[in-house]
Amino acid sequence: MDNRRRITDLGTLKAFGHPLRMKLYGALRAGGPATASQLGAQVDEAVSLVSYHLRKLAEHGLIEEAEAQSEDARERWWQAAQDTLSFRHEDFKDTPEGAATHAAVLRGLIAHRREQYETYLDQQAAWGAEWRTAADQSDFLARLNPAELTRLNAEIHALVRAYEEQGRAAEAAGDTEGRENVAVHLASFPFRL
């Protein structure tokens, strides 16, 4: 899987924007193929509820059936249908519902990312010195124009993608020792005092 998808229709954005669906999509993206039972245990929800939300994600092409990972033919395996999802304000700004949905989905993602980071903070002692030293929380302030900010974001995205590819290639070659999922969150936006 090496593809990116830009969501441009309101129905798909709404489908993705449900908090549990965001968690399920994120779990499939980070952990690879899984069943509703496995995902239910991860997100602490009933399998029937998880199955319902997985079907909704699949209806919009956000996830897809995966090759079975076990001998049990009754199990249905799912995987993320793309590496990366994006959605832009420009695609939803023309209607009040679109703009409100876009803002709500972004707020949901920010809440999910905050929860993810707070979980790390609560558990960081268990990660060991090497991971604690490698982890980072930074804040930068630059005075840029829109074109410069666009270039900065493109360069950062390209750098992170290069590291993603490097990690996938190393794992494919059998270099799995010490590898973990690493979240890299980026928010770049203008503000005034």
Side-chain angles (χ1 to χ4, degrees):
M1 174 173 59
D2 184 24
N3 57 10
R4 294 161 183 77
R5 178 176 175 190
R6 181 171 171 174
I7 297 174
T8 58
D9 68 284
L10 187 57
T12 301
L13 186 63
K14 284 181 175 182
F16 177 72
H18 187 282
L20 179 54
R21 292 179 196 157
M22 282 186 200
K23 283 184 180 181
L24 294 171
Y25 179 84
L28 289 170
R29 186 171 162 237
T35 65
S37 297
Q38 292 168 335
L39 292 166
Q42 286 180 36
V43 299
D44 196 27
E45 293 289 350
V47 174
S48 59
L49 181 64
V50 169
S51 291
Y52 169 79
H53 286 292
L54 289 170
R55 288 191 304 273
K56 290 297 179 186
L57 289 168
E59 284 175 19
H60 292 276
L62 298 167
I63 66 169
E64 60 194 10
E65 284 197 55
E67 187 175 310
Q69 309 288 310
S70 72
E71 299 294 322
D72 188 346
R74 296 171 297 160
E75 291 182 325
R76 191 173 190 183
W77 289 80
W78 297 98
Q79 65 187 11
Q82 53 278 309
D83 288 329
T84 305
L85 290 177
S86 67
F87 36 89
R88 309 290 296 180
H89 172 76
E90 296 307 309
D91 296 322
F92 300 99
K93 68 179 175 41
D94 293 336
T95 66
E97 182 183 19
T101 300
H102 179 262
V105 171
L106 285 177
R107 284 186 175 87
L109 281 173
I110 291 167
H112 176 70
R113 290 170 182 161
R114 179 181 172 154
E115 178 184 330
Q116 189 178 38
Y117 188 60
E118 287 178 348
T119 298
Y120 164 73
L121 291 176
D122 292 342
Q123 300 171 352
Q124 70 181 0
W127 281 100
E130 192 174 21
W131 277 110
R132 287 192 309 270
T133 301
D136 183 52
Q137 169 58 43
S138 298
D139 179 25
F140 301 95
L141 177 61
R143 302 244 334 136
L144 306 174
N145 63 37
E148 291 166 337
L149 181 55
T150 299
R151 274 196 324 274
L152 172 64
N153 287 330
E155 289 175 21
I156 291 170
H157 289 204
L159 179 62
V160 173
R161 284 186 190 120
Y163 273 89
E164 288 174 337
E165 288 299 319
Q166 178 182 321
R168 278 194 286 271
E171 278 193 315
D175 178 8
T176 59
E177 184 70 29
R179 292 194 182 278
E180 299 284 351
N181 291 320
V182 173
V184 178
H185 300 158
L186 172 67
S188 59
F189 52 90
F191 70 96
R192 293 185 179 121
L193 298 177

